[in-house]
Amino acid sequence: MNKISSRAKSISESVTLKLNSLAVKLASEGRDVYNLTAGQLPFAPSEKLVDSMSDCLKELKSFQYSPVAGMIALRKKVLENVESKRQIDLSSFDCVVSNGAKHSLTNTLMGIINPGDEVIVLAPYWISYPSMISLAEGKTVVVESSQDGGFIPLVSDIKKRITKKTKAIIINSPNNPSGVFYPDSWIDELANLLIEHPDITIISDEIYYDLSYGGKYPKYLYQARQELLERTVIIDGISKNIACTGLRIGYMIADKKLTKAISNIQGQTASGANSLIQNALIAFDFTEIKNYLGPINEHLSKNATQLQKVLKDYNLSSLWYGPNSAFYFLIDLTKTNQFKKFDVKNDNSFEICQELIEKKGIVCVPGTDFGVPNTLRISLVLEPERFSQALTILFDYLSK
Ligand code: PLP
């Protein structure tokens, strides 16, 4: 038998995957399963992008190796698009296009972390950050938050976790899994703190930026204090805002020294990203994204309003913290009747999720993987009628 490296052993199987396979099994047995786990929009991408892809099928370069850092015209377009949306000057920056934002994040961490370096991650955090950090031989330092604080950690708590070994902080706004972005005043406060720590790199995961359905967009640290831009890495891609999770295109934007290093890493491990999709994106008008997402953001906003109403009907309004972006909501189980039969000292989210699937056909993601025990993540993307039915079954169960 082959021997597994300690690096590989440090990566555990996600509990979400285990629950998903249970859900798939029940559905294959004919059970009506409400899947509230979706991390992607269940809609076709913009027709204009599909048309552009089909045109690019006729071009030879769509089938050949692309430049390691991405096609020059696409990189230029990405930089221009981010510049105009975030109102920043990226003229001295560059961009590396990769196989999804996940790949860009892994590349970035590989590019900046030395063994033992610490990376601050704010709970709730996206499942993959700790594994990526440990693959890069770094150490994850978690700063916690609570539902009562709207899942926004205190800047004073972040300050306490900064040490000489802190290499980076990851800020994911809008946030998966809470579905909120950090308030402007919080960003100002954190920006002022980070100014005092010039060696910390800011990894700004902005993958859900366009899915801000509450009528406002997030503010970023480099918008609060421009000086922070030069040590920021912006991460974005097409998975969420053009509903193309399977096409695997993401990118990182940073100073040219770091993008060169990242390009070297990518060149020796993966090569340039998918040529066909890059080619199609060059011809695609990025301002289309706003039109494409218009009805989708309306749909998300409608489901969020329905969720707020259902919580009120079940006397659970204390669970509401006003999600405004991405497409998730975290339920604090400790505030529900169902939780009374469990020990508050343990994390019972997996057991509750398992029971919800087996008895009620509702599939949620336990908060364990997001660093918030005793919570469930639900996704707001189901079509409104089915979403509403799922909420009734879910909160009937949690209220018992
Ligand atoms: N960052 C966050 C917060 C995410 O939720 C995801 C995907 O779910 C990613 C990054 C990765 O996106 P991609 O599909 O582009 O790899």
Side-chain angles (χ1 to χ4, degrees), residues 7 20 39-40 64 79 120 190 225 264 276-277 338:
R7 188 179 300 108
N20 260 324
Q40 59 190 345
Q64 299 190 317
L79 288 166
I120 295 180
L190 182 59
R225 297 290 298 260
N264 289 345
L276 171 65
I277 313 303
Q338 186 58 227

Side-chain angles (χ1 to χ4, degrees), residues 100-102 105 126 129 172 176 205 207-208 239-240 248-249:
K102 192 180 240 176
L105 280 160
W126 183 44
Y129 296 148
N172 171 219
N176 175 10
D205 182 346
I207 191 88
Y208 293 99
S239 283
K240 312 293 174 176
R248 310 309 304 138
I249 294 285

Side-chain angles (χ1 to χ4, degrees), residues 96-113 119-121 125-136 168-173 176 201-208 233-237 240 248-253 258 262 265-266:
V96 177
V97 178
S98 304
N99 306 308
K102 192 180 240 176
H103 188 205
S104 302
L105 280 160
T106 313
N107 279 345
T108 301
L109 291 164
M110 289 292 183
I112 61 170
I113 292 180
V119 180
I120 295 180
V121 163
Y125 50 75
W126 183 44
I127 294 177
S128 298
Y129 296 148
S131 298
M132 290 169 171
I133 294 166
S134 102
L135 277 176
I169 180 168
I170 305 183
I171 307 292
N172 171 219
S173 188
N176 175 10
T201 294
I202 298 157
I203 302 178
S204 185
D205 182 346
E206 305 177 6
I207 191 88
Y208 293 99
V233 180
I234 297 177
I235 305 282
D236 205 343
K240 312 293 174 176
R248 310 309 304 138
I249 294 285
Y251 49 84
M252 55 87 66
I253 296 170
L258 182 57
I262 298 301
I265 293 175
Q266 182 158 300

Side-chain angles (χ1 to χ4, degrees), residues 220-239:
Y220 292 108
L221 291 163
Y222 50 77
Q223 290 166 326
R225 297 290 298 260
Q226 268 182 19
E227 314 92 288
L228 293 177
L229 186 58
E230 62 177 23
R231 52 183 165 107
T232 298
V233 180
I234 297 177
I235 305 282
D236 205 343
I238 64 163
S239 283

Side-chain angles (χ1 to χ4, degrees), residues 51-209:
D51 290 346
S52 158
M53 269 189 308
S54 106
D55 290 344
C56 290
L57 281 170
K58 292 165 204 137
E59 289 178 36
L60 180 62
K61 76 167 179 179
S62 296
F63 297 89
Q64 299 190 317
Y65 285 126
S66 61
V68 169
M71 291 180 177
I72 293 172
L74 178 60
R75 279 159 56 203
K76 189 166 170 276
K77 205 164 168 174
V78 161
L79 288 166
E80 279 167 8
N81 180 50
V82 175
E83 265 188 330
S84 89
K85 273 194 186 163
R86 312 290 197 275
Q87 294 289 294
I88 48 175
D89 175 11
L90 292 173
S91 51
S92 60
F93 286 63
D94 205 349
C95 153
V96 177
V97 178
S98 304
N99 306 308
K102 192 180 240 176
H103 188 205
S104 302
L105 280 160
T106 313
N107 279 345
T108 301
L109 291 164
M110 289 292 183
I112 61 170
I113 292 180
N114 286 316
D117 282 350
E118 295 175 358
V119 180
I120 295 180
V121 163
L122 312 180
Y125 50 75
W126 183 44
I127 294 177
S128 298
Y129 296 148
S131 298
M132 290 169 171
I133 294 166
S134 102
L135 277 176
E137 298 187 57
K139 189 176 156 231
T140 300
V141 175
V142 176
V143 178
E144 282 163 11
S145 67
S146 67
Q147 195 242 286
D148 292 329
F151 292 115
I152 312 283
L154 295 175
V155 172
S156 54
D157 286 342
I158 299 175
K159 186 175 178 180
K160 284 184 208 144
R161 307 309 299 273
I162 295 177
T163 71
K164 284 200 177 80
K165 289 190 180 162
T166 308
K167 178 52 78 65
I169 180 168
I170 305 183
I171 307 292
N172 171 219
S173 188
N175 177 272
N176 175 10
S178 72
V180 289
F181 54 76
Y182 297 109
D184 291 2
S185 57
W186 184 93
I187 287 285
D188 292 341
E189 199 186 338
L190 182 59
N192 289 338
L193 170 67
L194 291 174
I195 287 284
E196 292 167 25
H197 299 276
D199 294 331
I200 298 181
T201 294
I202 298 157
I203 302 178
S204 185
D205 182 346
E206 305 177 6
I207 191 88
Y208 293 99
Y209 174 83

